[in-house]
Amino acid sequence: MADTAPASASAPAAPDFSGWTCPAPLRDHERIVMGHGGGGTLSAELVEHLFAPAFGSDVLAELGDSAHLTMGGARLAFSTDSFVVRPLFFPGGSIGDLAVNGTVNDLAMAGAVPAYLSCGFILEEGIELSVVGRVAQALGDAARTAGVTVATGDTKVVDAGHGDGIFINTAGIGLVPDGVDIRPQRAAPGDAVLVSGQIGVHGVAIMSVREGLEFGVEIQSDTASLAGLVADMLAVCRDLHVLRDPTRGGLATSLNEIAGAAGVGITLDERSLPVPDTVANACSFLGLDPLYVANEGKLVAFVPPDHADAVLEAMRAHPLGKESVRIGTCVADHPGMVVAATGLGGTRVVDMPLGEQLPRIC
Amino acid sequence: MCLAVPGRVLEIEERDATRMAKVDFGGVVKDVCLEYVPDMQVGDYAIVHVGFALQRLDEESARQTLELFENLGVLEEEFGDHWGRAAKDAGAERPAGTELPADRSEKEARS
Amino acid sequence: MKYLDEFSDPVLAERLFDDIRALTTRPWSLMEVCGGQTHSIIRHGIDQLLPDEIRLIHGPGCPVCVTPLEIIDKALEIASRPDVIFCSFGDMLRVPGSGRDLFQVKSEGADVRVVYSPLDALRIAQENPEKQVVFFGIGFETTAPPNAMTVYQAKKLSIPNFSLLVSHVRVPPAIDAIMNSPDCQVQAFLAAGHVCTVMGTREYPDLAARHEVPIVVTGFEPLDILEGIRRAVRQLETGEHTVENAYPRAVNEQGSPAAQKMLADVFEVTDRSWRGIGMIPRSGWRLSPKYREYDAEYRFSVTGIETEESTVCRSGEVLQGLIKPHECAVFGKECTPRNPLGATMVSSEGACAAYYLYRRLEAPTVNAPAANTPAKEASSVG
């Protein structure tokens, strides 16, 4: 698209089009809308059209969950994530657990062994110290469980009414073992698509306690560090092609991102999707699709076909992967598209969501 | 147009002079207004839309419908739908009064 | 979930498919009236598995889709007021008015809230007596009784800061209008099961007789839809045109008398514009004079707002079953769920959106890039 750049830009220096990306306007919206944080198309466009051109970084251009860096001969994965969950405490966890597990999992999805975390707290004036204390404790416990060290941190306070109690940002670095090259771009036709357990659990747990939506359900967030599970998988197959933790936007979003990045198609068998009854039922009455509901302790793996059984066995042997199943296959057909075989034997396209899923009445 | 799902009434109470219930949707429990189905009892199934029970689910009808589906192929195999097949082969309409046995029983059940 | 899972059973579905195949001797065009049925049909791939002779036409039964542009502009105007908390069902937030949607109004500072039930909006009014709380009352006969209840309760409990922005629509006049259209290709209707939970089936025998068209009240799960199709095809093949109830576990002849009584008290029938279709006489409800003070249009003096629709978008023809979504020239190009030109692309239940999401595989044109097309501006309304 570089050749369509306006010629009238009379900058003092000669214009340099080499690294230029079309600064397409955010098509519909003049302001940030909630959907820009939903992990779907709007989020992707914000990064692609606004942040990436502004930062002009080759590494960022890969748009993975974490960056692959080389420093002094060491291969590092580097990632950051911000946490704005409401409420702060929910069935099965808290913002403190998410802040560790979210970033640790981004590193693990690069095959890295997570080592160090930074932790920035943005606190709203007036929040009780005891609440901050409980969150900090949960964060510390989660870090110990994940085997990472919180090495540096920061605290800021904003005026009452300008925050949601607590926002947390964490960044993490980890070492990528020799011979490991896990990236979305490596998905290849023939790969088995595996998922490490029941989907949609975290999203439904959060929705059940969200204001205006409350419903009673015995379900707990699946928030967990997946680094150990990944290590066990790598022990039986060094050549894992892709790993992804399907958080915001759910499995559908992760699979679409991978299909897009690698230029492959993905076929799913809906009957094999591990959707627990409570998730399916909550989705039924809210009008949501479990494929688009967030997870915080699951991963999806693209594995060369010869190794699929061994990897699946290793996953099932790990406490966080007991219910691992194969849900589909990577194919050369319909590149960039995820197609599901329905329970009745038909097919449907599982598309990238736009923003966040909303309950529908009709 | 209207997303409505069946749920089972767990308990009933008056709230702000309104008949409300806790309704179980397979492990998901939600408050539901019963004003439009005044005769609902605990244990009944209701069709629920945007927090309102709109109609009692007739469990006997549900059972009969499923039974009808169960019998569809079986009855056809047993009695053979020769009128339909013959008509189809000939490219003609099925003669009146030659419905499948299952269809006749539906019609009688209908009213 | 009980009474959902059993009605998705693939083995029984195969029996229904077999029977439909056995019954079908020539081409038939059926319209499923309801967007929820469209969603289910495409979500489960039902239309791919039917005999080639059976063509399903997706009807206008998505309340989000048919809400007139003018009402949405009024909603945006009211929601923008600093003293207002504007409550809505989730799927209404993305529907564009003339250039903006509720998401955008929210991003500009408006207090727009998604609620699951209209009773939640009433509760918000009780909790925020210093604010005006407005609920966007859209929907067919199914949703009208719940929305009516809020106004009834607001009056009974003296909640003066609550009002309803009403855009309710009624199904039978729409079926009548579709059959009266000179280009009508619909030969049988799958009527909307959940509308009939409230209204019963008594409104349909007259329509079926007058237009000589089979009407089968149909549910939403895969087996329900197949049974609706099976019965409609059987009637067509035998030359009948009666009303049948293929959803008897939820629908009976009289419907819900309590809900009908509430509708008669709170609403009165009015002419209503349908987005993409135009005016259909007596196809809507507005608040009756008794409840006028709870009508947001009057309370906020937005009755003067008038708007016209896009001329490029052919959603009207889609809604009437005259064309399939992908036959529209802008489908999947200028018009996507991301950038909807017409109502049918907006809601996830709209015929175009359903096609876009699930049928991209078969309609290659929709993969064309949607960015930087000037047609959007040229064709937008305003």
Side-chain angles (χ1 to χ4, degrees):
Chain A
M1 277 197 254
D3 58 346
T4 63
S8 60
S10 53
D16 173 18
F17 292 106
S18 57
W20 194 82
T21 314
C22 178
L26 296 170
R27 283 186 246 146
D28 283 331
H29 301 280
E30 291 177 4
R31 294 166 189 262
I32 292 294
V33 296
M34 292 306 289
H36 285 115
T41 306
L42 285 176
S43 300
E45 287 182 352
L46 185 67
V47 173
E48 194 180 328
H49 297 315
L50 193 147
F51 289 124
F55 300 162
S57 141
D58 293 341
V59 180
L60 183 65
E62 283 187 27
L63 300 176
D65 277 352
S66 54
H68 299 249
L69 309 171
T70 306
M71 285 178 77
R75 294 168 67 221
L76 299 177
F78 179 36
S79 185
T80 185
D81 208 339
S82 298
F83 300 85
V84 295
V85 66
R86 188 169 53 187
L88 297 173
F89 297 89
F90 46 82
S94 74
I95 189 171
D97 301 286
L98 290 184
V100 170
N101 294 337
T103 296
V104 162
N105 289 346
D106 283 349
L107 298 172
M109 295 310 117
V113 180
Y116 297 105
L117 286 189
S118 75
C119 175
F121 272 82
I122 297 169
L123 305 174
E124 185 181 5
E125 179 186 32
I127 186 165
E128 294 92 338
L129 267 181
S130 61
V131 173
V132 180
R134 281 169 64 204
V135 168
Q137 190 62 45
L139 196 151
D141 289 346
R144 281 182 284 279
T145 303
V148 289
T149 305
V150 179
T152 180
D154 177 54
T155 309
K156 294 285 186 294
V157 178
V158 295
D159 290 331
H162 288 250
D164 224 353
I166 301 179
F167 296 149
I168 304 178
N169 172 274
T170 54
I173 53 174
L175 261 177
V176 182
D178 284 340
V180 169
D181 180 17
I182 300 174
R183 291 175 287 129
Q185 290 79 3
R186 290 198 66 216
D191 282 358
V193 181
L194 313 177
V195 68
S196 67
Q198 299 190 326
I199 63 167
V201 176
H202 173 77
V204 168
I206 291 281
M207 278 186 263
S208 74
V209 289
R210 186 158 290 169
E211 193 188 354
L213 215 60
E214 298 96 336
F215 51 87
V217 62
E218 292 202 0
I219 202 167
Q220 300 221 314
S221 168
D222 57 354
T223 178
S225 159
L226 297 168
L229 175 62
V230 172
D232 285 3
M233 294 164 71
L234 282 171
V236 295
C237 173
R238 207 71 166 171
D239 190 31
L240 298 178
H241 286 168
V242 189
L243 294 173
R244 201 83 161 185
D245 58 332
T247 55
R248 295 177 306 186
L251 195 56
T253 302
S254 291
L255 293 175
N256 271 285
E257 285 170 352
I258 294 164
V264 295
I266 297 168
T267 56
L268 295 181
D269 181 356
E270 281 203 327
R271 281 163 297 199
S272 68
L273 289 175
V275 181
D277 284 348
T278 38
V279 169
N281 295 342
C283 286
S284 283
F285 90 84
L286 293 170
L288 306 179
D289 184 339
L291 276 171
Y292 294 88
V293 177
N295 311 275
E296 288 291 344
K298 297 296 176 320
L299 62 79
V300 59
F302 284 58
V303 181
D306 301 350
H307 298 275
D309 290 340
V311 172
L312 198 56
E313 200 176 315
M315 290 168 78
R316 287 175 177 162
H318 190 278
L320 291 174
K322 276 184 286 195
E323 294 169 287
S324 298
V325 285
R326 178 174 181 158
I327 57 167
T329 306
C330 188
V331 296
D333 292 341
H334 52 78
M337 208 179 277
V338 182
V339 177
T342 72
L344 297 189
T347 57
R348 65 161 173 145
V349 174
V350 177
D351 211 355
M352 184 83 163
L354 179 68
E356 55 186 340
Q357 264 201 129
L358 289 168
R360 59 189 174 90
I361 60 153
C362 57
Chain B
M1 64 194 57
C2 310
L3 188 87
V5 288
R8 188 167 155 272
V9 175
L10 294 179
E11 55 185 65
I12 299 175
E13 61 167 358
E14 290 279 320
R15 209 182 301 161
D16 277 347
T18 305
R19 209 150 167 267
M20 299 292 293
K22 291 217 177 302
V23 174
D24 173 35
F25 303 93
V28 180
V29 178
K30 188 83 188 151
D31 282 349
V32 167
C33 176
L34 291 189
E35 284 290 308
Y36 294 132
V37 277
D39 56 344
M40 288 291 287
Q41 301 297 325
V42 169
D44 289 350
Y45 277 83
I47 304 286
V48 176
H49 172 63
V50 298
F52 284 73
L54 293 179
Q55 191 61 255
R56 174 204 301 278
L57 186 139
D58 183 345
E59 298 187 63
E60 178 56 22
S61 281
R63 197 189 57 73
Q64 283 174 3
T65 304
L66 288 171
E67 202 173 273
L68 166 77
F69 297 159
E70 298 270 0
N71 289 334
L72 265 182
V74 179
L75 285 175
E76 195 177 331
E77 278 162 30
E78 214 169 298
F79 300 107
D81 181 20
H82 53 278
W83 285 108
R85 296 243 167 71
K88 185 169 178 166
D89 292 342
E93 281 183 30
R94 175 199 292 265
T98 64
E99 298 94 329
L100 291 170
D103 293 329
R104 272 201 290 275
S105 64
E106 273 167 67
K107 268 193 168 170
E108 281 151 22
R110 212 156 60 229
S111 78
Chain C
M1 206 184 311
K2 194 158 159 65
Y3 300 117
L4 285 186
D5 299 341
E6 301 94 309
F7 289 88
S8 310
D9 184 90
V11 175
L12 295 184
E14 196 45 50
R15 295 202 179 156
L16 283 156
F17 277 120
D18 283 346
D19 205 57
I20 291 167
R21 281 182 213 114
L23 285 169
T24 308
T25 64
R26 56 184 137 133
W28 299 112
S29 292
L30 280 55
M31 174 179 277
E32 85 278 1
V33 173
C34 171
Q37 291 164 337
T38 307
H39 198 77
S40 197
I41 286 164
I42 299 184
R43 166 79 180 68
H44 296 281
I46 288 173
D47 54 341
Q48 303 161 354
L49 301 167
L50 288 170
D52 292 342
E53 291 92 341
I54 295 176
R55 172 184 173 222
L56 293 176
I57 301 174
H58 309 311
C62 169
V64 169
C65 291
V66 301
T67 301
L69 195 59
E70 188 169 295
I71 301 266
I72 293 164
D73 283 350
K74 288 176 180 174
L76 298 172
E77 173 74 23
I78 293 169
S80 301
R81 295 176 52 128
D83 59 330
V84 165
I85 299 174
F86 193 88
C87 301
S88 170
F89 295 125
D91 27 5
M92 206 63 215
L93 265 66
R94 262 181 49 214
V95 183
S98 302
R100 292 191 301 170
D101 57 23
L102 282 167
F103 274 128
Q104 254 168 295
V105 171
K106 183 170 185 280
S107 75
E108 289 158 13
D111 192 346
V112 177
R113 302 187 191 180
V114 170
V115 295
Y116 164 71
S117 166
L119 288 182
D120 297 331
L122 200 62
R123 184 178 44 78
I124 290 170
Q126 286 173 298
E127 291 166 359
N128 297 274
E130 76 293 352
K131 291 277 196 176
Q132 284 289 331
V133 174
V134 181
F135 183 69
F136 200 169
I138 60 149
F140 283 86
E141 290 93 329
T142 325
T143 320
N147 292 348
M149 180 66 79
T150 61
V151 174
Y152 174 81
Q153 297 258 21
K155 194 177 170 89
K156 192 172 87 173
L157 304 172
S158 302
I159 306 172
N161 61 322
F162 179 83
S163 60
L164 193 65
L165 178 63
V166 183
S167 184
H168 282 300
V169 277
R170 303 171 58 231
V171 167
I175 291 183
D176 203 24
I178 289 164
M179 288 311 296
N180 283 331
S181 158
D183 306 318
C184 177
Q185 297 172 18
V186 179
Q187 292 168 296
F189 285 96
L190 307 185
H194 289 146
V195 163
C196 297
T197 61
V198 171
M199 302 307 289
T201 59
R202 286 182 294 203
E203 295 176 290
Y204 295 112
D206 168 61
L207 280 170
R210 222 159 11 95
H211 296 293
E212 300 189 351
V213 64
I215 298 179
V216 183
V217 175
T218 303
F220 296 78
E221 299 312 308
L223 298 192
D224 293 320
I225 288 169
L226 290 174
E227 175 65 354
I229 292 169
R230 188 177 78 91
R231 293 202 190 195
V233 169
R234 189 165 53 77
Q235 284 203 41
L236 289 167
E237 292 281 348
T238 55
E240 291 175 56
H241 44 79
T242 62
V243 177
E244 283 191 70
N245 180 5
Y247 195 30
R249 68 183 184 280
V251 173
N252 55 43
E253 195 188 357
Q254 75 272 16
S256 164
Q260 290 165 20
K261 190 166 161 247
M262 179 67 81
L263 289 173
D265 178 45
V266 173
F267 294 127
E268 63 184 14
V269 169
T270 181
D271 297 345
R272 176 77 71 204
S273 244
W274 293 46
R275 191 172 191 167
I277 293 179
M279 172 69 68
I280 302 178
R282 300 182 56 74
S283 69
W285 273 310
R286 65 176 170 214
L287 287 170
S288 64
K290 187 175 158 188
Y291 293 93
R292 183 77 22 108
E293 60 184 306
Y294 294 96
D295 188 335
E297 285 193 58
Y298 287 91
R299 187 172 293 188
F300 298 96
S301 306
V302 291
T303 45
I305 293 177
E306 289 177 20
T307 337
E308 282 173 29
E309 292 185 34
S310 164
T311 51
V312 172
C313 169
R314 298 175 71 187
S315 61
E317 290 161 88
V318 172
L319 287 173
Q320 294 177 67
L322 301 179
I323 61 168
K324 286 259 184 186
H326 64 265
E327 288 163 17
C328 174
V330 293
F331 172 83
K333 297 178 203 134
E334 290 90 334
C335 184
T336 63
R338 170 91 175 68
N339 250 333
L341 283 185
T344 43
M345 188 55 98
V346 173
S347 162
S348 60
E349 300 238 323
C352 291
Y355 252 76
Y356 186 83
L357 286 176
Y358 299 134
R359 275 296 116 76
R360 274 196 317 168
L361 210 50
E362 294 167 16
T365 53
V366 300
N367 285 323
N372 305 326
T373 40
K376 161 81 174 150
E377 273 69 44
S379 65
S380 69
V381 293

